[in-house]
Amino acid sequence: MTDRRGVVAKRAEDLSPGVPYARGWNRARRSAGTLADQLVLLGLDSDFPGLVADVNVFGDGLVQLDTVSPDAAELLAQLITAGFEGSYAARWLNRP
């Protein structure tokens, strides 16, 4: 992570020796797969065609949603809000 908001650094285009890119990318791949599975269940997979795992210059995994329509972004925001209003929110906010 590179800034005060926790936004990741520039994606890795040229690899440097000694940076654990595979570890970060594998973590991103698992997370992107989990998100993709949920989008399929909701019938939203076609709204996020650019969903992909990547890695930054420091080896941190990235999940790119790519460009999405305003409707898809709004629906995703509504789903996140609904999730936080449920019982899951308490567990998420109190995680270690």
Side-chain angles (χ1 to χ4, degrees):
M1 300 300 173
T2 59
D3 69 19
R4 66 181 180 79
R5 294 187 64 213
V7 178
V8 293
K10 185 174 108 176
R11 57 182 292 276
E13 294 176 1
D14 298 317
L15 304 182
S16 300
V19 178
Y21 296 109
R23 184 179 310 134
W25 184 83
N26 272 326
R27 182 166 184 239
R29 184 178 59 85
R30 286 190 305 272
S31 296
T34 299
L35 179 56
D37 291 344
Q38 294 304 309
L39 291 172
V40 167
L41 291 174
L42 294 167
L44 299 175
D45 48 312
S46 62
D47 293 302
F48 294 86
L51 178 64
V52 64
D54 205 344
V55 66
N56 72 11
V57 294
F58 301 115
D60 299 323
L62 306 173
V63 176
Q64 294 187 31
L65 299 179
D66 203 16
T67 304
V68 299
S69 72
D71 290 340
E74 181 68 28
L75 183 54
L76 183 59
Q78 291 173 2
L79 290 167
I80 291 169
T81 300
F84 274 114
E85 289 172 354
S87 62
Y88 181 75
R91 287 184 283 140
W92 173 261
L93 295 173
N94 293 316
R95 67 189 172 128

PDB file of all heavy atoms in Angstrom, residues 23-52:
ATOM      1  N   ARG A  23       3.064 -14.348  -5.012  1.00  0.00           N
ATOM      2  CA  ARG A  23       2.249 -14.414  -3.793  1.00  0.00           C
ATOM      3  C   ARG A  23       1.111 -13.394  -3.860  1.00  0.00           C
ATOM      4  O   ARG A  23      -0.045 -13.707  -3.600  1.00  0.00           O
ATOM      5  CB  ARG A  23       3.119 -14.163  -2.563  1.00  0.00           C
ATOM      6  CG  ARG A  23       2.359 -14.315  -1.264  1.00  0.00           C
ATOM      7  CD  ARG A  23       3.235 -14.085  -0.037  1.00  0.00           C
ATOM      8  NE  ARG A  23       4.456 -14.870  -0.104  1.00  0.00           N
ATOM      9  CZ  ARG A  23       5.676 -14.386   0.166  1.00  0.00           C
ATOM     10  NH1 ARG A  23       5.839 -13.136   0.524  1.00  0.00           N
ATOM     11  NH2 ARG A  23       6.742 -15.159   0.085  1.00  0.00           N
ATOM     12  N   GLY A  24       1.437 -12.152  -4.216  1.00  0.00           N
ATOM     13  CA  GLY A  24       0.419 -11.115  -4.313  1.00  0.00           C
ATOM     14  C   GLY A  24      -0.597 -11.413  -5.403  1.00  0.00           C
ATOM     15  O   GLY A  24      -1.794 -11.224  -5.223  1.00  0.00           O
ATOM     16  N   TRP A  25      -0.097 -11.885  -6.554  1.00  0.00           N
ATOM     17  CA  TRP A  25      -1.001 -12.185  -7.658  1.00  0.00           C
ATOM     18  C   TRP A  25      -1.932 -13.337  -7.309  1.00  0.00           C
ATOM     19  O   TRP A  25      -3.119 -13.290  -7.617  1.00  0.00           O
ATOM     20  CB  TRP A  25      -0.226 -12.506  -8.929  1.00  0.00           C
ATOM     21  CG  TRP A  25      -1.141 -12.712 -10.088  1.00  0.00           C
ATOM     22  CD1 TRP A  25      -1.691 -11.753 -10.875  1.00  0.00           C
ATOM     23  CD2 TRP A  25      -1.649 -13.963 -10.557  1.00  0.00           C
ATOM     24  NE1 TRP A  25      -2.513 -12.327 -11.820  1.00  0.00           N
ATOM     25  CE2 TRP A  25      -2.512 -13.690 -11.641  1.00  0.00           C
ATOM     26  CE3 TRP A  25      -1.476 -15.281 -10.161  1.00  0.00           C
ATOM     27  CZ2 TRP A  25      -3.178 -14.686 -12.330  1.00  0.00           C
ATOM     28  CZ3 TRP A  25      -2.136 -16.271 -10.855  1.00  0.00           C
ATOM     29  CH2 TRP A  25      -2.982 -15.970 -11.927  1.00  0.00           C
ATOM     30  N   ASN A  26      -1.416 -14.371  -6.652  1.00  0.00           N
ATOM     31  CA  ASN A  26      -2.272 -15.498  -6.251  1.00  0.00           C
ATOM     32  C   ASN A  26      -3.361 -15.057  -5.291  1.00  0.00           C
ATOM     33  O   ASN A  26      -4.504 -15.504  -5.395  1.00  0.00           O
ATOM     34  CB  ASN A  26      -1.439 -16.619  -5.622  1.00  0.00           C
ATOM     35  CG  ASN A  26      -0.924 -17.587  -6.639  1.00  0.00           C
ATOM     36  OD1 ASN A  26      -1.584 -17.869  -7.633  1.00  0.00           O
ATOM     37  ND2 ASN A  26       0.270 -18.099  -6.421  1.00  0.00           N
ATOM     38  N   ARG A  27      -3.017 -14.184  -4.368  1.00  0.00           N
ATOM     39  CA  ARG A  27      -4.032 -13.680  -3.435  1.00  0.00           C
ATOM     40  C   ARG A  27      -5.094 -12.896  -4.199  1.00  0.00           C
ATOM     41  O   ARG A  27      -6.296 -13.046  -3.964  1.00  0.00           O
ATOM     42  CB  ARG A  27      -3.387 -12.804  -2.369  1.00  0.00           C
ATOM     43  CG  ARG A  27      -4.381 -12.313  -1.363  1.00  0.00           C
ATOM     44  CD  ARG A  27      -3.711 -11.738  -0.129  1.00  0.00           C
ATOM     45  NE  ARG A  27      -4.737 -11.373   0.823  1.00  0.00           N
ATOM     46  CZ  ARG A  27      -4.892 -10.144   1.290  1.00  0.00           C
ATOM     47  NH1 ARG A  27      -4.078  -9.195   0.913  1.00  0.00           N
ATOM     48  NH2 ARG A  27      -5.843  -9.884   2.147  1.00  0.00           N
ATOM     49  N   ALA A  28      -4.660 -12.059  -5.137  1.00  0.00           N
ATOM     50  CA  ALA A  28      -5.605 -11.293  -5.952  1.00  0.00           C
ATOM     51  C   ALA A  28      -6.458 -12.220  -6.810  1.00  0.00           C
ATOM     52  O   ALA A  28      -7.663 -11.992  -6.973  1.00  0.00           O
ATOM     53  CB  ALA A  28      -4.851 -10.296  -6.830  1.00  0.00           C
ATOM     54  N   ARG A  29      -5.860 -13.277  -7.343  1.00  0.00           N
ATOM     55  CA  ARG A  29      -6.608 -14.224  -8.183  1.00  0.00           C
ATOM     56  C   ARG A  29      -7.713 -14.908  -7.390  1.00  0.00           C
ATOM     57  O   ARG A  29      -8.845 -15.056  -7.853  1.00  0.00           O
ATOM     58  CB  ARG A  29      -5.652 -15.265  -8.769  1.00  0.00           C
ATOM     59  CG  ARG A  29      -6.319 -16.242  -9.727  1.00  0.00           C
ATOM     60  CD  ARG A  29      -5.309 -17.218 -10.310  1.00  0.00           C
ATOM     61  NE  ARG A  29      -4.625 -17.988  -9.286  1.00  0.00           N
ATOM     62  CZ  ARG A  29      -5.099 -19.114  -8.747  1.00  0.00           C
ATOM     63  NH1 ARG A  29      -6.241 -19.609  -9.140  1.00  0.00           N
ATOM     64  NH2 ARG A  29      -4.409 -19.754  -7.832  1.00  0.00           N
ATOM     65  N   ARG A  30      -7.388 -15.313  -6.155  1.00  0.00           N
ATOM     66  CA  ARG A  30      -8.411 -15.944  -5.308  1.00  0.00           C
ATOM     67  C   ARG A  30      -9.545 -14.965  -5.002  1.00  0.00           C
ATOM     68  O   ARG A  30     -10.720 -15.310  -5.076  1.00  0.00           O
ATOM     69  CB  ARG A  30      -7.791 -16.464  -4.011  1.00  0.00           C
ATOM     70  CG  ARG A  30      -6.958 -17.725  -4.185  1.00  0.00           C
ATOM     71  CD  ARG A  30      -6.564 -18.344  -2.849  1.00  0.00           C
ATOM     72  NE  ARG A  30      -5.875 -17.418  -1.959  1.00  0.00           N
ATOM     73  CZ  ARG A  30      -4.568 -17.212  -1.932  1.00  0.00           C
ATOM     74  NH1 ARG A  30      -3.778 -17.860  -2.762  1.00  0.00           N
ATOM     75  NH2 ARG A  30      -4.044 -16.356  -1.083  1.00  0.00           N
ATOM     76  N   SER A  31      -9.182 -13.739  -4.678  1.00  0.00           N
ATOM     77  CA  SER A  31     -10.201 -12.733  -4.353  1.00  0.00           C
ATOM     78  C   SER A  31     -11.037 -12.381  -5.581  1.00  0.00           C
ATOM     79  O   SER A  31     -12.263 -12.238  -5.477  1.00  0.00           O
ATOM     80  CB  SER A  31      -9.537 -11.466  -3.811  1.00  0.00           C
ATOM     81  OG  SER A  31      -8.886 -11.751  -2.591  1.00  0.00           O
ATOM     82  N   ALA A  32     -10.400 -12.239  -6.726  1.00  0.00           N
ATOM     83  CA  ALA A  32     -11.143 -11.952  -7.962  1.00  0.00           C
ATOM     84  C   ALA A  32     -12.072 -13.110  -8.293  1.00  0.00           C
ATOM     85  O   ALA A  32     -13.209 -12.896  -8.731  1.00  0.00           O
ATOM     86  CB  ALA A  32     -10.172 -11.691  -9.116  1.00  0.00           C
ATOM     87  N   GLY A  33     -11.622 -14.329  -8.068  1.00  0.00           N
ATOM     88  CA  GLY A  33     -12.463 -15.502  -8.310  1.00  0.00           C
ATOM     89  C   GLY A  33     -13.672 -15.542  -7.393  1.00  0.00           C
ATOM     90  O   GLY A  33     -14.787 -15.859  -7.825  1.00  0.00           O
ATOM     91  N   THR A  34     -13.465 -15.193  -6.130  1.00  0.00           N
ATOM     92  CA  THR A  34     -14.572 -15.150  -5.178  1.00  0.00           C
ATOM     93  C   THR A  34     -15.595 -14.105  -5.603  1.00  0.00           C
ATOM     94  O   THR A  34     -16.806 -14.358  -5.601  1.00  0.00           O
ATOM     95  CB  THR A  34     -14.053 -14.831  -3.761  1.00  0.00           C
ATOM     96  OG1 THR A  34     -13.145 -15.857  -3.366  1.00  0.00           O
ATOM     97  CG2 THR A  34     -15.180 -14.734  -2.755  1.00  0.00           C
ATOM     98  N   LEU A  35     -15.102 -12.929  -5.988  1.00  0.00           N
ATOM     99  CA  LEU A  35     -16.005 -11.880  -6.444  1.00  0.00           C
ATOM    100  C   LEU A  35     -16.724 -12.297  -7.724  1.00  0.00           C
ATOM    101  O   LEU A  35     -17.933 -12.113  -7.858  1.00  0.00           O
ATOM    102  CB  LEU A  35     -15.239 -10.573  -6.664  1.00  0.00           C
ATOM    103  CG  LEU A  35     -16.058  -9.387  -7.158  1.00  0.00           C
ATOM    104  CD1 LEU A  35     -17.233  -9.084  -6.236  1.00  0.00           C
ATOM    105  CD2 LEU A  35     -15.159  -8.169  -7.312  1.00  0.00           C
ATOM    106  N   ALA A  36     -15.995 -12.897  -8.649  1.00  0.00           N
ATOM    107  CA  ALA A  36     -16.606 -13.354  -9.908  1.00  0.00           C
ATOM    108  C   ALA A  36     -17.707 -14.373  -9.645  1.00  0.00           C
ATOM    109  O   ALA A  36     -18.774 -14.322 -10.272  1.00  0.00           O
ATOM    110  CB  ALA A  36     -15.540 -13.941 -10.827  1.00  0.00           C
ATOM    111  N   ASP A  37     -17.471 -15.297  -8.709  1.00  0.00           N
ATOM    112  CA  ASP A  37     -18.493 -16.292  -8.374  1.00  0.00           C
ATOM    113  C   ASP A  37     -19.767 -15.627  -7.874  1.00  0.00           C
ATOM    114  O   ASP A  37     -20.877 -16.026  -8.240  1.00  0.00           O
ATOM    115  CB  ASP A  37     -17.975 -17.261  -7.308  1.00  0.00           C
ATOM    116  CG  ASP A  37     -16.882 -18.190  -7.816  1.00  0.00           C
ATOM    117  OD1 ASP A  37     -16.709 -18.308  -9.051  1.00  0.00           O
ATOM    118  OD2 ASP A  37     -16.194 -18.787  -6.959  1.00  0.00           O
ATOM    119  N   GLN A  38     -19.617 -14.617  -7.028  1.00  0.00           N
ATOM    120  CA  GLN A  38     -20.785 -13.920  -6.501  1.00  0.00           C
ATOM    121  C   GLN A  38     -21.499 -13.114  -7.591  1.00  0.00           C
ATOM    122  O   GLN A  38     -22.731 -13.063  -7.627  1.00  0.00           O
ATOM    123  CB  GLN A  38     -20.390 -13.008  -5.338  1.00  0.00           C
ATOM    124  CG  GLN A  38     -19.889 -13.750  -4.124  1.00  0.00           C
ATOM    125  CD  GLN A  38     -20.893 -14.779  -3.629  1.00  0.00           C
ATOM    126  OE1 GLN A  38     -22.057 -14.479  -3.420  1.00  0.00           O
ATOM    127  NE2 GLN A  38     -20.445 -16.001  -3.450  1.00  0.00           N
ATOM    128  N   LEU A  39     -20.730 -12.503  -8.476  1.00  0.00           N
ATOM    129  CA  LEU A  39     -21.337 -11.757  -9.578  1.00  0.00           C
ATOM    130  C   LEU A  39     -22.127 -12.682 -10.501  1.00  0.00           C
ATOM    131  O   LEU A  39     -23.189 -12.320 -10.989  1.00  0.00           O
ATOM    132  CB  LEU A  39     -20.261 -10.994 -10.360  1.00  0.00           C
ATOM    133  CG  LEU A  39     -19.601  -9.829  -9.620  1.00  0.00           C
ATOM    134  CD1 LEU A  39     -18.426  -9.293 -10.420  1.00  0.00           C
ATOM    135  CD2 LEU A  39     -20.599  -8.734  -9.306  1.00  0.00           C
ATOM    136  N   VAL A  40     -21.615 -13.903 -10.708  1.00  0.00           N
ATOM    137  CA  VAL A  40     -22.339 -14.887 -11.520  1.00  0.00           C
ATOM    138  C   VAL A  40     -23.662 -15.242 -10.847  1.00  0.00           C
ATOM    139  O   VAL A  40     -24.715 -15.280 -11.496  1.00  0.00           O
ATOM    140  CB  VAL A  40     -21.481 -16.151 -11.762  1.00  0.00           C
ATOM    141  CG1 VAL A  40     -22.318 -17.290 -12.317  1.00  0.00           C
ATOM    142  CG2 VAL A  40     -20.322 -15.841 -12.695  1.00  0.00           C
ATOM    143  N   LEU A  41     -23.618 -15.485  -9.532  1.00  0.00           N
ATOM    144  CA  LEU A  41     -24.842 -15.835  -8.807  1.00  0.00           C
ATOM    145  C   LEU A  41     -25.887 -14.726  -8.885  1.00  0.00           C
ATOM    146  O   LEU A  41     -27.093 -14.997  -8.890  1.00  0.00           O
ATOM    147  CB  LEU A  41     -24.531 -16.139  -7.339  1.00  0.00           C
ATOM    148  CG  LEU A  41     -23.746 -17.417  -7.069  1.00  0.00           C
ATOM    149  CD1 LEU A  41     -23.377 -17.507  -5.594  1.00  0.00           C
ATOM    150  CD2 LEU A  41     -24.543 -18.640  -7.501  1.00  0.00           C
ATOM    151  N   LEU A  42     -25.422 -13.480  -8.946  1.00  0.00           N
ATOM    152  CA  LEU A  42     -26.332 -12.334  -9.018  1.00  0.00           C
ATOM    153  C   LEU A  42     -26.701 -11.974 -10.456  1.00  0.00           C
ATOM    154  O   LEU A  42     -27.482 -11.056 -10.682  1.00  0.00           O
ATOM    155  CB  LEU A  42     -25.687 -11.120  -8.345  1.00  0.00           C
ATOM    156  CG  LEU A  42     -25.480 -11.239  -6.838  1.00  0.00           C
ATOM    157  CD1 LEU A  42     -24.553 -10.134  -6.344  1.00  0.00           C
ATOM    158  CD2 LEU A  42     -26.820 -11.174  -6.122  1.00  0.00           C
ATOM    159  N   GLY A  43     -26.120 -12.696 -11.418  1.00  0.00           N
ATOM    160  CA  GLY A  43     -26.386 -12.398 -12.822  1.00  0.00           C
ATOM    161  C   GLY A  43     -25.701 -11.131 -13.307  1.00  0.00           C
ATOM    162  O   GLY A  43     -26.126 -10.517 -14.279  1.00  0.00           O
ATOM    163  N   LEU A  44     -24.627 -10.737 -12.624  1.00  0.00           N
ATOM    164  CA  LEU A  44     -23.932  -9.495 -12.956  1.00  0.00           C
ATOM    165  C   LEU A  44     -22.583  -9.707 -13.624  1.00  0.00           C
ATOM    166  O   LEU A  44     -21.845  -8.743 -13.827  1.00  0.00           O
ATOM    167  CB  LEU A  44     -23.732  -8.652 -11.687  1.00  0.00           C
ATOM    168  CG  LEU A  44     -24.994  -8.208 -10.973  1.00  0.00           C
ATOM    169  CD1 LEU A  44     -24.638  -7.500  -9.674  1.00  0.00           C
ATOM    170  CD2 LEU A  44     -25.808  -7.305 -11.873  1.00  0.00           C
ATOM    171  N   ASP A  45     -22.238 -10.949 -13.934  1.00  0.00           N
ATOM    172  CA  ASP A  45     -20.910 -11.215 -14.478  1.00  0.00           C
ATOM    173  C   ASP A  45     -20.651 -10.458 -15.771  1.00  0.00           C
ATOM    174  O   ASP A  45     -19.547  -9.983 -16.017  1.00  0.00           O
ATOM    175  CB  ASP A  45     -20.665 -12.708 -14.655  1.00  0.00           C
ATOM    176  CG  ASP A  45     -21.806 -13.412 -15.355  1.00  0.00           C
ATOM    177  OD1 ASP A  45     -22.970 -13.191 -14.969  1.00  0.00           O
ATOM    178  OD2 ASP A  45     -21.532 -14.186 -16.287  1.00  0.00           O
ATOM    179  N   SER A  46     -21.664 -10.284 -16.612  1.00  0.00           N
ATOM    180  CA  SER A  46     -21.461  -9.570 -17.874  1.00  0.00           C
ATOM    181  C   SER A  46     -21.291  -8.063 -17.657  1.00  0.00           C
ATOM    182  O   SER A  46     -20.811  -7.358 -18.548  1.00  0.00           O
ATOM    183  CB  SER A  46     -22.617  -9.829 -18.839  1.00  0.00           C
ATOM    184  OG  SER A  46     -23.827  -9.349 -18.291  1.00  0.00           O
ATOM    185  N   ASP A  47     -21.654  -7.566 -16.462  1.00  0.00           N
ATOM    186  CA  ASP A  47     -21.476  -6.149 -16.150  1.00  0.00           C
ATOM    187  C   ASP A  47     -20.059  -5.816 -15.706  1.00  0.00           C
ATOM    188  O   ASP A  47     -19.693  -4.645 -15.602  1.00  0.00           O
ATOM    189  CB  ASP A  47     -22.456  -5.719 -15.049  1.00  0.00           C
ATOM    190  CG  ASP A  47     -23.890  -5.753 -15.517  1.00  0.00           C
ATOM    191  OD1 ASP A  47     -24.194  -5.065 -16.513  1.00  0.00           O
ATOM    192  OD2 ASP A  47     -24.695  -6.476 -14.901  1.00  0.00           O
ATOM    193  N   PHE A  48     -19.260  -6.836 -15.429  1.00  0.00           N
ATOM    194  CA  PHE A  48     -17.881  -6.651 -14.976  1.00  0.00           C
ATOM    195  C   PHE A  48     -16.945  -7.512 -15.831  1.00  0.00           C
ATOM    196  O   PHE A  48     -16.225  -8.375 -15.312  1.00  0.00           O
ATOM    197  CB  PHE A  48     -17.754  -7.026 -13.495  1.00  0.00           C
ATOM    198  CG  PHE A  48     -18.524  -6.109 -12.593  1.00  0.00           C
ATOM    199  CD1 PHE A  48     -19.865  -6.330 -12.333  1.00  0.00           C
ATOM    200  CD2 PHE A  48     -17.910  -4.999 -12.021  1.00  0.00           C
ATOM    201  CE1 PHE A  48     -20.593  -5.474 -11.521  1.00  0.00           C
ATOM    202  CE2 PHE A  48     -18.637  -4.139 -11.200  1.00  0.00           C
ATOM    203  CZ  PHE A  48     -19.975  -4.373 -10.948  1.00  0.00           C
ATOM    204  N   PRO A  49     -16.911  -7.273 -17.147  1.00  0.00           N
ATOM    205  CA  PRO A  49     -16.126  -8.130 -18.030  1.00  0.00           C
ATOM    206  C   PRO A  49     -14.612  -7.989 -17.852  1.00  0.00           C
ATOM    207  O   PRO A  49     -13.856  -8.876 -18.242  1.00  0.00           O
ATOM    208  CB  PRO A  49     -16.544  -7.683 -19.429  1.00  0.00           C
ATOM    209  CG  PRO A  49     -16.939  -6.257 -19.252  1.00  0.00           C
ATOM    210  CD  PRO A  49     -17.578  -6.206 -17.876  1.00  0.00           C
ATOM    211  N   GLY A  50     -14.172  -6.891 -17.243  1.00  0.00           N
ATOM    212  CA  GLY A  50     -12.742  -6.664 -17.076  1.00  0.00           C
ATOM    213  C   GLY A  50     -12.201  -7.086 -15.727  1.00  0.00           C
ATOM    214  O   GLY A  50     -11.065  -6.747 -15.384  1.00  0.00           O
ATOM    215  N   LEU A  51     -12.981  -7.830 -14.951  1.00  0.00           N
ATOM    216  CA  LEU A  51     -12.540  -8.291 -13.630  1.00  0.00           C
ATOM    217  C   LEU A  51     -11.326  -9.192 -13.796  1.00  0.00           C
ATOM    218  O   LEU A  51     -11.394 -10.226 -14.471  1.00  0.00           O
ATOM    219  CB  LEU A  51     -13.669  -9.043 -12.928  1.00  0.00           C
ATOM    220  CG  LEU A  51     -13.360  -9.628 -11.558  1.00  0.00           C
ATOM    221  CD1 LEU A  51     -13.057  -8.527 -10.549  1.00  0.00           C
ATOM    222  CD2 LEU A  51     -14.519 -10.480 -11.081  1.00  0.00           C
ATOM    223  N   VAL A  52     -10.201  -8.796 -13.188  1.00  0.00           N
ATOM    224  CA  VAL A  52      -8.959  -9.544 -13.380  1.00  0.00           C
ATOM    225  C   VAL A  52      -8.024  -9.324 -12.184  1.00  0.00           C
ATOM    226  O   VAL A  52      -8.072  -8.296 -11.522  1.00  0.00           O
ATOM    227  CB  VAL A  52      -8.275  -9.116 -14.702  1.00  0.00           C
ATOM    228  CG1 VAL A  52      -7.843  -7.671 -14.663  1.00  0.00           C
ATOM    229  CG2 VAL A  52      -7.126 -10.021 -15.058  1.00  0.00           C
TER     230      VAL A  52
END
